[in-house]
Amino acid sequence: MIRAILTVLALLVALPAAAEEIGAVGYRFKWLGPNDKIVVEAFDDPDLAGITCYLARARTGGLKGMVGLAEDPPYASISCHQVGPVDGDKAEKLKSPHEVFSERASLIFKTTQVVRFYDPKRRALIYLTYTDRVIEGSPQNSISVVPVGLR
C-alpha cells in the first residue's frame, strides 16, 4: 500500500507544472455561455527554483466552452522571469529540450505546451510556447529568455 502511494506521488512530481490563473479579460461576447477570453496564468519552472513564467492564451467560451468541448485558438504568449536565486550549475545539467508545462486546448487532440531549452554558450534558458495537434499543429509560437548566472 505504501509503495503504491509513493509511486503515485513520484509520477505526480514528474509531471509538467500546473498553472495558477492570475486573471482574465473577455474579448468576444457570447449570448449563451461564458464569453471568449484571454487568460493570464503563472507557473514556476518545476525543475529550477527561482523562475516563473507568465502565459497569456485565448480560451473559447460559449456553450461548448462551458462544457469543455470547445477548441481553443493556438494563440499564446509567454514571459519568463527570474524571481529568486537560480542555481546556474543546476541549469547547465537540465535536460534540453524539456517540456515544463502542458495543458489541453481541446477535448482530445490539441495541447498548449511550454518547452525549456538551455543555451550553454550564452548561459540562458529559453522558454518556447506553442500549440500542437495530433494531425496538424500550429507554427504560431512565442519565446522568452532568462539569463542564468551572469558573471
Side-chain angles (χ1 to χ4, degrees):
M1 179 67 175
I2 293 176
R3 178 178 275 170
I5 292 171
L6 291 175
T7 301
V8 170
L9 289 175
L11 288 173
L12 290 174
V13 170
L15 295 175
E20 168 190 348
E21 186 171 318
I22 302 298
V25 294
Y27 72 91
R28 185 180 304 139
F29 176 76
K30 296 286 188 172
W31 285 102
L32 297 173
N35 293 334
D36 291 347
K37 59 187 174 180
I38 299 169
V39 177
V40 176
E41 301 168 305
F43 68 91
D44 297 323
D45 188 311
D47 304 314
L48 195 60
I51 306 244
T52 298
C53 293
Y54 296 89
L55 188 64
R57 57 194 173 121
R59 290 257 176 90
T60 302
L63 292 175
K64 285 184 176 181
M66 187 169 65
V67 296
L69 298 176
E71 183 171 305
D72 293 335
Y75 313 117
S77 65
I78 191 167
S79 182
C80 299
H81 301 274
Q82 181 176 344
V83 295
V86 174
D87 184 345
D89 293 332
K90 184 175 181 182
E92 290 178 5
K93 296 173 185 165
L94 293 173
K95 181 180 175 189
S96 180
H98 182 68
E99 181 181 290
V100 294
F101 174 83
S102 177
E103 191 168 292
R104 71 179 184 87
S106 72
L107 184 60
I108 300 173
F109 301 111
K110 192 175 185 181
T111 307
T112 298
Q113 299 179 56
V114 176
V115 177
R116 178 190 60 230
F117 298 86
Y118 181 69
D119 178 354
K121 181 178 178 182
R122 293 161 192 86
R123 294 186 51 88
L125 294 163
I126 301 98
Y127 294 85
L128 165 73
T129 185
Y130 67 100
T131 301
D132 69 351
R133 274 191 189 163
V134 172
I135 304 297
E136 179 182 341
S138 171
Q140 294 186 5
N141 63 80
S142 177
I143 68 166
S144 185
V145 178
V146 179
V148 177
L150 294 176
R151 295 178 182 157

